[in-house]
Amino acid sequence: MKKLTLLFIFISFISCKQEFPKQHWQKGNLHTHSFWSDGDDFPEMIIKWYKNNDYQFIALSDHNTMASGDYWYRLKEKDNQNKVLEKYQKSLGDWVETKIDSTGTLVRLKTFKEYQSKLEDPNSFLIIQSEEVTSSFENKPVHINVTNIKEKIEPFKGNSVFEVMQQTLDEVHAQRKKFNIPMFAHINHPNFGYGINVEDLKKLNGERFFELYNGHPSVNNEGDDMHMDLETMWDLINISYYNDKKPLLLGIATDDSHNYHVKSKNNSNTGRGWVMVNSKKLDTESLINAMEAGDFYSSSGVMLKQVFQDKEKLFIEVEPKQGIDYEIVFMGYRKGSYSIEELKRVKGNSSSYTFQENDLFVRAKINSTDLKENPPNLGETKQAWVQPIIVK
């Protein structure tokens, strides 16, 4: 009888696993820079790196530009040291346009439409137009990325950090309505220069995304003795949003890559942070719809096999690496509480959390013992973050 009971439990477990819908994870980076602003390589070379490293989509988000018009980039001494033109010509041959004048060598930067038409593959790799709208208030940096932008947005001025951000968000929503297309803004690296605080973000209307993790070495993801870390900021904002009946803020991980020739913790390199979007179709509309529905997770290295939720539970399964230990932590906001609480912590490759009567919203974080290669901060381990879910 005992054997039959164990067999029934095993079959029930397998049946339960088979009920999970098939998921289609699309890997992408939404924050990247090229010679069009302050990156140190040509757009095509950057795109090819992501394309060759198992990404399915990329957005080049140069500062206050949409990579359009006739722009001849003048090579600098550091560019010559990095052999950027030699690498570019070796990779793309006659595609490269150069000219020489009395000041040196100039290279024509290809526009978004040009590099998109050359390198995009509708079946496997998508290139999304973006801009990092780069503003400030009293020397406090205010940077907002706009994904799938159609018309350039000029940086706004205002009487506060909040006002600059809100004007930018309002313009994004107006442009989205004008073109009747999916597009969204996300707040970049709030702790860069400690320009954006949690109270600024709480007051915003129409903001759905912010950078929970950014791979640039100068953005202070973990805060300092005087400033909170971004994960704590995320939770406090979402408590405020929930109580104000606003949609919850969703957390994005990005590279914010600028440097493509020298790998160093002091440089902003590729492959440090990304989003994994559950979308069967690889097109901009499907990706944005999935992200706005919270159907994605963010990662600094941990990969997930399954993220499943229904009315009763949240289930997470890690794609494990041999010799690496994982820990799944469920966090939540509950009735009668004023802070986020740890609801459950499990060591292992999979776990589920059953929603309780007092739960209002729940999210998850996955820790690992896997050290990041070339991290912006020494000793950093790989993690992943699952978006908060409102419990109904």
Side-chain angles (χ1 to χ4, degrees):
M1 185 67 183
K2 186 177 180 181
K3 287 184 179 179
L4 286 173
T5 302
L6 290 173
L7 180 62
F8 174 76
I9 292 171
F10 176 75
I11 291 172
S12 298
F13 175 73
I14 296 297
S15 301
C16 180
K17 289 197 76 173
Q18 289 177 339
E19 288 177 5
F20 295 156
K22 182 174 175 59
Q23 296 183 312
H24 304 269
W25 296 115
Q26 312 286 358
K27 182 178 181 180
N29 180 35
L30 295 172
H31 193 167
T32 321
H33 296 278
S34 75
F35 277 145
W36 275 99
S37 60
D38 56 349
D40 67 6
D41 209 347
F42 297 99
E44 303 94 307
M45 299 298 286
I46 298 164
I47 292 166
K48 288 183 75 172
W49 185 92
Y50 284 97
K51 195 173 184 179
N52 293 335
N53 281 272
D54 200 29
Y55 286 71
Q56 284 73 55
F57 64 96
I58 183 68
L60 267 63
S61 53
D62 281 300
H63 297 279
N64 295 335
T65 181
M66 288 179 59
S68 61
D70 194 34
Y71 178 25
W72 287 85
Y73 174 79
R74 191 179 307 279
L75 294 178
K76 303 178 180 67
E77 180 58 33
K78 191 163 187 179
D79 300 326
N80 294 326
Q81 292 172 6
N82 289 329
K83 299 182 179 179
V84 294
L85 181 56
E86 181 181 327
K87 295 173 186 175
Y88 188 35
Q89 289 174 324
K90 183 177 180 181
S91 178
L92 290 159
D94 292 341
W95 169 261
V96 179
E97 297 177 65
T98 64
K99 65 182 180 182
I100 298 174
D101 64 15
S102 59
T103 63
T105 302
L106 296 90
V107 185
R108 189 176 78 82
L109 297 188
K110 304 297 184 178
T111 64
F112 170 80
K113 289 183 178 179
E114 287 176 301
Y115 62 67
Q116 181 191 40
S117 65
K118 187 168 185 66
L119 295 173
E120 186 171 83
D121 183 338
N123 298 314
S124 63
F125 191 79
L126 187 68
I127 303 172
I128 304 173
Q129 192 160 33
S130 182
E131 177 194 353
E132 183 169 10
V133 183
T134 306
S135 312
S136 65
F137 173 75
E138 294 183 346
N139 296 319
K140 294 179 180 178
V142 182
H143 297 187
I144 299 178
N145 266 30
V146 187
T147 298
N148 201 31
I149 192 168
K150 295 304 175 191
E151 291 181 344
K152 181 182 173 184
I153 295 175
E154 297 292 345
F156 284 94
K157 295 181 180 180
N159 297 312
S160 65
V161 168
F162 162 74
E163 197 171 293
V164 172
M165 288 194 293
Q166 190 62 62
Q167 287 181 94
T168 307
L169 295 178
D170 291 345
E171 180 61 27
V172 172
H173 287 291
Q175 190 174 130
R176 177 172 178 156
K177 184 177 181 180
K178 175 182 176 180
F179 290 101
N180 192 29
I181 58 165
M183 59 187 294
F184 68 83
H186 81 252
I187 304 293
N188 292 341
H189 42 57
N191 278 351
F192 176 54
Y194 295 107
I196 301 173
N197 63 44
V198 70
E199 297 306 319
D200 294 326
L201 291 165
K202 282 181 182 179
K203 292 186 290 184
L204 290 175
N205 290 306
E207 175 59 323
R208 294 297 315 285
F209 302 93
F210 95 133
E211 286 183 345
L212 172 65
Y213 179 91
N214 177 302
H216 197 293
S218 301
V219 300
N220 306 304
N221 294 321
E222 298 301 319
D224 62 16
D225 292 341
M226 300 292 292
H227 303 89
M228 69 180 67
D229 64 278
L230 295 185
E231 194 167 344
T232 299
M233 186 182 286
W234 189 28
D235 288 336
L236 291 174
I237 294 163
N238 272 334
I239 289 173
S240 176
Y241 280 15
Y242 183 89
N243 291 332
D244 290 341
K245 295 181 172 54
K246 297 179 184 178
L248 296 185
L249 188 66
L250 306 176
I252 291 176
T254 69
D255 278 341
D256 193 1
S257 50
H258 290 70
N259 310 116
Y260 306 95
H261 305 283
V262 178
K263 285 195 170 185
S264 162
K265 72 178 185 66
N266 298 318
N267 284 336
S268 182
N269 298 138
T270 53
R272 287 176 173 169
W274 58 85
V275 292
M276 299 292 292
V277 184
N278 181 25
S279 174
K280 188 173 182 179
K281 293 182 179 179
L282 184 61
D283 60 61
T284 305
E285 181 176 1
S286 298
L287 291 172
I288 292 178
N289 287 343
M291 289 189 68
E292 290 185 329
D295 201 0
F296 74 101
Y297 69 90
S298 296
S299 177
S300 66
V302 170
M303 305 297 280
L304 305 181
K305 277 186 182 179
Q306 187 80 235
V307 179
F308 172 79
Q309 69 172 87
D310 58 20
K311 293 180 180 180
E312 297 179 354
K313 65 181 178 298
L314 171 61
F315 173 81
I316 295 168
E317 184 178 6
V318 177
E319 184 75 57
K321 284 178 63 177
Q322 189 172 2
I324 302 300
D325 296 325
Y326 298 91
E327 178 183 65
I328 301 171
V329 186
F330 295 93
M331 310 288 291
Y333 180 47
R334 313 189 81 180
K335 291 178 185 176
S337 180
Y338 297 96
S339 62
I340 297 295
E341 301 175 27
E342 182 179 309
L343 305 174
K344 184 177 180 181
R345 182 182 293 257
V346 175
K347 292 187 181 297
N349 298 341
S350 66
S351 183
S352 66
Y353 174 75
T354 301
F355 302 133
Q356 304 300 303
E357 184 179 353
N358 289 333
D359 291 338
L360 298 174
F361 65 79
V362 175
R363 68 172 179 86
K365 178 181 181 179
I366 299 86
N367 300 316
S368 80
T369 58
D370 196 6
L371 286 169
K372 282 181 68 68
E373 304 86 1
N374 184 35
N377 302 293
L378 290 177
E380 188 175 318
T381 56
K382 298 177 181 178
Q383 298 176 309
W385 298 267
V386 173
Q387 305 306 319
I389 300 159
I390 293 178
V391 177
K392 297 181 180 178

